[in-house]
Amino acid sequence: MENVQIEPVKRSRRSLPQELNILLVLVAVALVFEILGWLFQGQSFLMNSRRLTIMILQVSVVGIIAVGVTQVIITGGIDLSSGSVVAMTAMITMSVAQSSEFARAMYPALTDLPVIVPLAVGLGIGLLAGMINGALIAWTGIPPFIATLGMMVTARGIAKWYTKGQPISFPTDSFAAIGSGAAPVFIFLAVAVIFHFALRYTRYGKFTYAIGANPQAARVSGINVQRHLVKVYAIAGLLAGLAGIVTASRAATAQAGMGMMYELDAIAAAVIGGTSLSGGRGRIFGTVIGTLILGLMMSGFTFLRVDAFYQEIVKGIIIVAAVVADTFRQKARSKKA
Amino acid sequence: MVSTNTLEAVQRYKQKSLPYILEIEGIRKEFPGVVALDNVQFRLRPGSVHALMGENGAGKSTLMKIIAGIYKPDRGTIRFQGEEVTLTSPLDALERGIAMIHQELALMDWMTVAENIWIRREPTNALGLIDHRKMTAMTQALFDQLSIRIDPTAEVSSLTVAQRQMVEIAKAVSHESDVLIMDEPTSAITETEVEHLFAIIRDLKARGVAIVYITHKMNELFEIADEFSVFRDGKYVGTHASADVTRDDIIRMMVGREITDMFPKEEAEIGDVILSVENLSLPGTFHGITFDLRKGEILGLAGLVGSGRSNVAEALFGVTPATEGTIRIAGRDVSIGSPKDAMREGMALLTEDRKDTGCFLPLTVLENMQIAALQDGHVKMGCVDERGLTVLCKEMQDALRIKTPNLDERIENLSGGNQQKVLIARWLLTKPRILILDEPTRGIDVGAKAEIHRLISRLAQQGVAVIMISSELPEVLGMSDRIMVMHEGHMTGILDRSEANQVKIMELAAR
């Protein structure tokens, strides 16, 4: 072995974990609003637990969706259908969650059902929508963008057709309890924790990253790529269904226009949180931080009484900036390699 | 654009008085981990066909890509038409008069033949819009000149591979280039089409065009080439007129190597037949593959690139299953429809392309190593047994001397040799009975190569049956107990270790 030449090891520069960078961004955004708050409103932005609770509540639903969308993006795909699936599930779930005290219930025979029924129906519909997405992508080979775009339009259509555009209201008390108080926050956090661990410590997670990093290599390593993709999209659908249940429950009503653009907020949260659109990289923890950054900005602008139009403009710019930053990171890395 | 004006004609005439239209001196080109070309020279005469010869990996393609402006050399000079030039891009080379016909055809499928040929140079009418009628007429004129019979308005997607090849050639000719590079132009076309191609080449030659021709087919060399240059391991060996030499001379020039490069094999005990393949076929790719493989045996699989070697490996492993024939493992008929099936039978496949089908570049060394083993076990109560796997991976790292700061390093930051060792470790963790290695040492440095060779020998001693595909003849000869040679999808022979040598293999591989 003496004459065997030693290859030099290319040492990567020690860098902080990506999550820490995002956490710093979160802190920076919070501080900016804090300073602006004292300057223009004469009061603290952060030292207001009510405001913070409302902020997290506002983004919980998007956060639940974002957990699913993050997994889809890690496989190298995209899910545009989640916002519409929220509306579709909200409508159908609410129609089997109505109270008999309401005289014009949609299905008078199906009122006052135990809460498990609307819950199962809602989750089932979300799951089904996700499975259809996944099956189309895995077995017909059409791009995820197209498959989920189709689902986005179709699910929104079903939501409208279901009651010919009428809202559905008057849920049972037990159904309304699902989204009351701070419950959505806990649901969001529970979902985030579950999938954070699933991605890091289970075979499901390992395969998800592998497929996103290199689908051919994943196949040669013995992974059934198609079946796994169906699973990932089904989970994303399931979580969109859960988000639909929470939304309907909290509002105590369901409308076909619910969840509009949520898919884009969810994608934005994932991307801001460091999930790479080229696949193979991303963490649920990052997505949670990304969701909080979005919420902080919405809440902060409202606090500063900035016009809602400006909020959207700034949000758009931030999303693009996050992807540009990611692209530069990738380029820098491939040059080094 | 088609008509040459007088000035250009005068220039062309002047060029002919130069002995060489293209002169390349002292070219060096390095890629991470390998020196592709080392101090290489090449001279091209106008109005001649000059063939580049060499084994796979000898550096022909790299040289050609430097001439076509695709790669920039690290060192050396290129003189074109008597003056030193720096080719900045393929477009730059094309505008100077160097055109290349790519092996992987580079036409746009959903555009017409005429649109493909005149792209960027479309004739326009008075309004500045594209004049399609004129473009069609120009294409027809070009085709008439080359006696090509293809409808200029047909979409490229509707053409056969041979027709596309003709369109590519016509496109290159339409640039009125002085140098035309052809990379394996006959690999996808039939005998009569080859005759047609040669007629075109002779016509171009008569008009003063210089042609750089790459081929693995020896008989073509003698039919069409005036001169040839031989390369070996990235080095220039020599240039000769094709009239002066025999086929055997060329083969000897191509394979000749110093003894120091040899790979000593450690003896292993050969056991029972573990894999028995009979008449394995995948129509259009390979046919009638039949062989036995024993425990502890290393079966080398030689042949030129495109001879179907890798396809056989992929069929055995279920990546692209064969449609006919039987595979028996340890005496039992098995049907292998996916890599997962193959893994269940104790097979492992190290794929040819480390980047495309091997590494998960964004993931860590640990994640890359454990992925295949996860298919079977290593899960406790739903969670991956990270601790146990890390211990196993650490052992692999030590055993294979994988040099990485730690197992959490991203694999993309490792050198090629270490990446390859990680991939080998990935498969060793599945404890295979049959290990298929496709180009296990391609693109890695000498030190890592020697270690991988030693590792393969050691595995054979432990009773693992190994199939090793390699384009490097000394490696195949040094490592294998027997060598199976393939040519254009067929087995052309199985040589025993005692009777095999480079010339015999080349004769079977390039008949």
Side-chain angles (χ1 to χ4, degrees):
Chain A
M1 286 278 151
E2 294 78 39
N3 55 355
V4 169
Q5 76 189 60
I6 307 281
E7 302 168 46
V9 174
K10 287 182 222 156
R11 226 167 248 280
S12 70
R13 245 182 316 130
R14 268 262 161 261
S15 61
L16 297 167
Q18 215 175 320
E19 282 77 25
L20 208 63
N21 295 339
I22 304 151
L23 209 56
L24 289 178
V25 173
L26 178 73
V27 171
V29 172
L31 285 180
V32 167
F33 281 120
E34 180 70 18
I35 291 164
L36 292 176
W38 285 109
L39 285 180
F40 294 106
Q41 303 290 327
Q43 54 167 304
S44 169
F45 171 62
L46 294 171
M47 300 300 143
N48 184 332
S49 57
R50 213 179 97 78
R51 177 156 42 234
L52 292 184
T53 315
I54 290 174
M55 177 204 95
I56 301 177
L57 266 173
Q58 274 178 332
V59 292
S60 290
V61 168
V62 164
I64 295 169
I65 297 171
V67 170
V69 168
T70 301
Q71 299 174 55
V72 167
I73 297 178
I74 290 172
T75 67
I78 195 88
D79 188 352
L80 298 177
S81 68
S82 19
S84 299
V85 172
V86 165
M88 177 171 73
T89 352
M91 294 296 282
I92 299 174
T93 305
M94 191 55 111
S95 71
V96 292
Q98 284 177 302
S99 158
S100 59
E101 287 163 38
F102 180 47
R104 287 178 292 133
M106 195 168 167
Y107 304 116
L110 296 177
T111 52
D112 286 341
L113 296 173
V115 70
I116 187 77
V117 175
L119 215 52
V121 166
L123 293 176
I125 288 166
L127 187 72
L128 187 68
M131 281 170 72
I132 293 172
N133 279 336
L136 280 172
I137 291 156
W139 283 302
T140 69
I142 62 174
F145 186 94
I146 299 300
T148 61
L149 181 73
M151 181 57 74
M152 168 180 160
V153 177
T154 308
R156 183 71 66 189
I158 291 172
K160 289 177 187 162
W161 157 84
Y162 194 62
T163 59
K164 309 291 178 288
Q166 297 302 307
I168 315 177
S169 307
F170 294 100
T172 59
D173 291 344
S174 52
F175 182 76
I178 297 172
S180 65
V185 178
F186 293 115
I187 295 174
F188 167 41
L189 292 180
V191 163
V193 168
I194 290 171
F195 284 101
H196 181 77
F197 279 95
L199 279 184
R200 296 205 65 171
Y201 300 109
T202 69
R203 206 170 351 197
Y204 164 82
K206 303 270 175 193
F207 290 1
T208 304
Y209 284 103
I211 288 171
N214 189 339
Q216 281 96 355
R219 188 166 131 65
V220 177
S221 302
I223 298 172
N224 188 332
V225 175
Q226 278 135 334
R227 205 170 61 196
H228 195 83
L229 281 178
V230 175
K231 266 190 219 168
V232 175
Y233 281 90
I235 286 172
L238 182 79
L239 291 178
L242 179 61
I245 294 170
V246 172
T247 309
S249 163
R250 181 157 193 86
T253 183
Q255 295 174 18
M258 276 176 161
M260 201 65 90
M261 307 274 265
Y262 278 17
E263 62 281 346
L264 298 185
D265 281 347
I267 294 168
V271 169
I272 292 171
T275 302
S276 162
L277 284 171
S278 47
R281 206 169 290 158
R283 292 268 165 84
I284 299 294
F285 182 71
T287 299
V288 172
I289 305 287
T291 311
L292 292 182
I293 290 175
L294 282 181
L296 208 55
M297 286 192 332
M298 258 195 288
S299 167
F301 282 128
T302 313
F303 164 64
L304 294 174
R305 296 182 210 291
V306 175
D307 204 321
F309 304 124
Y310 294 119
Q311 293 186 21
E312 295 202 351
I313 294 172
V314 173
K315 197 159 93 184
I317 293 170
I318 286 178
I319 294 168
V320 174
V323 181
V324 170
D326 176 62
T327 310
F328 281 143
R329 269 204 306 269
Q330 306 296 336
K331 269 195 193 146
R333 196 163 285 131
S334 60
K335 249 179 217 146
K336 195 178 66 183
Chain B
M1 277 273 187
V2 194
S3 64
T4 327
N5 66 35
T6 346
L7 200 78
E8 274 172 352
V10 171
Q11 262 180 347
R12 271 163 194 275
Y13 177 74
K14 275 190 192 156
Q15 285 156 21
K16 288 204 181 129
S17 59
L18 287 168
Y20 299 107
I21 182 157
L22 182 72
E23 286 175 89
I24 282 176
E25 217 66 64
I27 290 278
R28 184 181 171 86
K29 178 72 189 172
E30 237 176 285
F31 293 109
V34 264
V35 179
L37 288 177
D38 186 13
N39 195 23
V40 158
Q41 57 163 318
F42 175 65
R43 290 202 183 92
L44 183 63
R45 294 177 200 276
S48 76
V49 177
H50 195 134
L52 300 186
M53 304 296 292
E55 292 179 276
N56 301 321
K60 301 167 305 210
S61 290
T62 310
L63 176 62
M64 190 183 59
K65 284 179 177 164
I66 284 174
I67 298 172
I70 297 170
Y71 292 156
K72 287 181 196 71
D74 300 333
R75 224 181 290 152
T77 56
I78 303 172
R79 295 172 74 80
F80 183 59
Q81 296 178 342
E83 57 189 282
E84 194 169 327
V85 293
T86 311
L87 301 171
T88 56
S89 69
L91 185 60
D92 181 36
L94 190 61
E95 280 170 350
R96 287 175 192 273
I98 303 172
M100 173 162 173
I101 299 166
H102 290 267
Q103 196 173 3
E104 311 90 34
L105 304 172
L107 296 172
M108 287 148 285
D109 270 359
W110 305 105
M111 293 170 76
T112 67
V113 169
E115 283 168 335
N116 264 284
I117 290 177
W118 302 106
I119 187 121
R120 243 174 27 83
R121 306 172 292 159
E122 294 88 349
T124 51
N125 61 20
L127 293 172
L129 300 173
I130 292 172
D131 186 345
H132 281 98
R133 197 173 303 161
K134 188 171 173 200
M135 192 155 77
T136 306
M138 281 158 63
T139 312
Q140 195 56 59
L142 182 69
F143 282 1
D144 288 345
Q145 177 197 339
L146 300 171
S147 9
I148 294 172
R149 275 179 297 277
I150 297 171
D151 177 7
T153 62
E155 247 178 38
V156 164
S157 61
S158 69
L159 304 184
T160 65
V161 175
Q163 285 174 320
R164 287 173 203 221
Q165 186 85 58
M166 289 298 167
V167 173
E168 280 268 13
I169 291 166
K171 184 178 171 183
V173 170
S174 77
H175 281 96
E176 308 215 313
S177 308
D178 302 298
V179 173
L180 202 55
I181 305 166
M182 298 188 176
D183 186 4
E184 296 274 359
T186 57
S187 60
I189 63 180
T190 64
E191 206 72 16
T192 45
E193 288 157 343
V194 171
E195 280 313 311
H196 185 187
L197 176 70
F198 284 178
I200 293 175
I201 289 177
R202 287 191 190 100
D203 178 43
L204 291 170
K205 210 167 95 172
R207 288 195 275 148
V209 177
I211 292 159
V212 183
Y213 195 96
I214 295 192
T215 184
H216 280 304
K217 298 180 183 167
M218 218 55 92
N219 45 4
E220 278 181 13
L221 173 71
F222 289 104
E223 189 169 347
I224 196 77
D226 302 300
E227 280 182 301
F228 67 93
S229 288
V230 178
F231 298 87
R232 189 201 310 144
D233 298 337
K235 294 191 177 69
Y236 170 76
V237 177
T239 300
H240 300 270
S242 50
D244 297 347
V245 287
T246 65
R247 196 188 126 112
D248 286 354
D249 294 335
I250 298 171
I251 290 181
R252 222 166 290 130
M253 276 186 260
M254 282 164 63
V255 299
R257 254 191 204 86
E258 292 127 60
I259 308 294
T260 51
D261 283 344
M262 288 312 235
F263 310 85
K265 175 183 158 55
E266 295 166 33
E267 288 309 317
E269 194 182 319
I270 309 268
D272 300 333
V273 172
I274 176 102
L275 173 70
S276 176
V277 176
E278 207 167 317
N279 249 327
L280 204 66
S281 302
L282 183 61
T285 314
F286 58 82
H287 309 273
I289 304 297
T290 302
F291 66 89
D292 282 346
L293 179 68
R294 292 168 176 277
K295 283 182 186 167
E297 184 182 37
I298 301 176
L299 176 69
L301 189 40
L304 300 166
V305 167
S307 61
R309 303 172 312 181
S310 299
N311 305 86
V312 171
E314 284 173 1
L316 288 174
F317 198 64
V319 179
T320 314
T323 51
E324 290 156 41
T326 56
I327 301 173
R328 293 166 71 80
I329 290 176
R332 201 164 43 83
D333 274 11
V334 293
S335 95
I336 292 171
S338 72
K340 204 171 181 170
D341 293 344
M343 286 163 69
R344 214 172 285 133
E345 299 297 338
M347 278 204 232
L349 168 67
L350 181 76
T351 53
E352 178 182 14
D353 195 312
R354 202 160 50 231
K355 283 227 158 60
D356 273 6
T357 53
C359 292
F360 299 102
L361 286 177
L363 305 187
T364 66
V365 171
L366 186 68
E367 288 166 327
N368 268 281
M369 221 188 266
Q370 62 180 215
I371 194 78
L374 281 178
Q375 289 296 339
D376 178 32
H378 302 289
V379 176
K380 279 185 189 161
M381 301 193 331
C383 282
V384 171
D385 176 17
E386 203 77 57
R387 197 169 304 167
L389 266 175
T390 307
V391 171
L392 288 176
C393 291
K394 194 99 193 85
E395 285 172 13
M396 276 295 166
Q397 185 194 348
D398 295 339
L400 271 61
R401 298 157 166 263
I402 298 168
K403 292 182 199 76
T404 168
N406 55 63
L407 289 176
D408 291 325
E409 186 69 35
R410 286 211 185 135
I411 196 168
E412 63 186 346
N413 294 330
L414 267 57
S415 69
N418 281 307
Q419 286 181 350
Q420 191 74 324
K421 287 185 194 171
V422 172
L423 298 184
I424 293 176
R426 174 193 291 171
W427 290 113
L428 295 187
L429 284 172
T430 67
K431 301 200 174 62
R433 294 190 284 176
I434 301 165
L435 180 60
I436 309 171
L437 303 165
D438 197 349
E439 299 282 6
T441 63
R442 173 185 286 177
I444 67 182
D445 69 73
V446 181
K449 223 174 195 171
E451 288 193 38
I452 288 175
H453 288 144
R454 217 157 286 149
L455 177 72
I456 296 171
S457 277
R458 219 174 306 140
L459 288 169
Q461 285 169 342
Q462 289 162 16
V464 177
V466 179
I467 299 177
M468 188 185 75
I469 300 175
S470 175
S471 296
E472 281 187 49
L473 289 183
E475 178 172 87
V476 175
L477 284 163
M479 296 296 301
S480 315
D481 294 297
R482 284 182 306 149
I483 298 159
M484 173 170 137
V485 188
M486 288 186 67
H487 174 71
E488 296 189 346
H490 294 272
M491 293 172 58
T492 45
I494 294 189
L495 300 167
D496 208 68
R497 181 176 179 76
S498 53
E499 54 170 336
N501 61 42
Q502 300 201 7
V503 175
K504 272 192 187 156
I505 293 178
M506 277 312 276
E507 274 171 359
L508 288 172
R511 44 177 55 186

